[in-house]
């Protein structure tokens, strides 16, 4: 699947996107796999309350299933102004 990173998440990880092979069943499982990769991922995903996630371009929660998913995006909360 393709994993996209936006704003400070992208800055901490150092990539705008990557293709990830995963056995994760949910988004939170995917986050745990990414955290275990190396320190930059652990830093980016250290506080999930500061992140939002979209699965196949639809906002969702971290307990969302990844069955059949092609794209996951992580980004900070948006504010209006």
């Amino acid at each position: 699947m393709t994993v996209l990173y936006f704003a400070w998440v992208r800055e901490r990880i150092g990539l705008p996107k990557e293709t990830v092979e995963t056995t994760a069943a949910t988004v939170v499982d995917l986050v745990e796999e990414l955290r275990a990769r190396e320190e930059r991922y652990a830093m980016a995903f250290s506080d999930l309350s500061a992140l939002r996630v979209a699965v196949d371009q639809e906002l969702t929660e971290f307990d969302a299933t990844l069955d059949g998913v092609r794209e996951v995006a992580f980004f900070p909360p948006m504010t209006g102004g």
Side-chain angles (χ1 to χ4, degrees):
M1 82 179 51
T2 301
V3 180
L4 306 171
Y5 308 108
F6 293 94
W8 58 259
V9 184
R10 178 184 62 230
E11 291 171 11
R12 289 182 185 172
I13 292 174
L15 299 169
K17 69 179 179 177
E18 63 183 318
T19 301
V20 174
E21 296 292 329
T22 182
T23 59
T26 65
V27 174
V28 77
D29 295 338
L30 174 62
V31 167
E32 289 303 318
E33 285 182 11
L34 293 171
R35 279 181 179 155
R37 283 181 158 186
E38 54 187 88
E39 184 61 30
R40 62 188 173 141
Y41 291 93
M43 250 179 48
F45 294 108
S46 63
D47 181 8
L48 294 187
S49 69
L51 286 172
R52 298 294 174 262
V53 63
V55 171
D56 286 338
Q57 300 184 2
E58 290 192 28
L59 285 174
T60 190
E61 300 296 324
F62 283 87
D63 62 355
T65 183
L66 294 178
D67 188 35
V69 168
R70 294 188 325 229
E71 179 184 275
V72 177
F74 296 102
F75 49 92
M78 303 296 171
T79 58

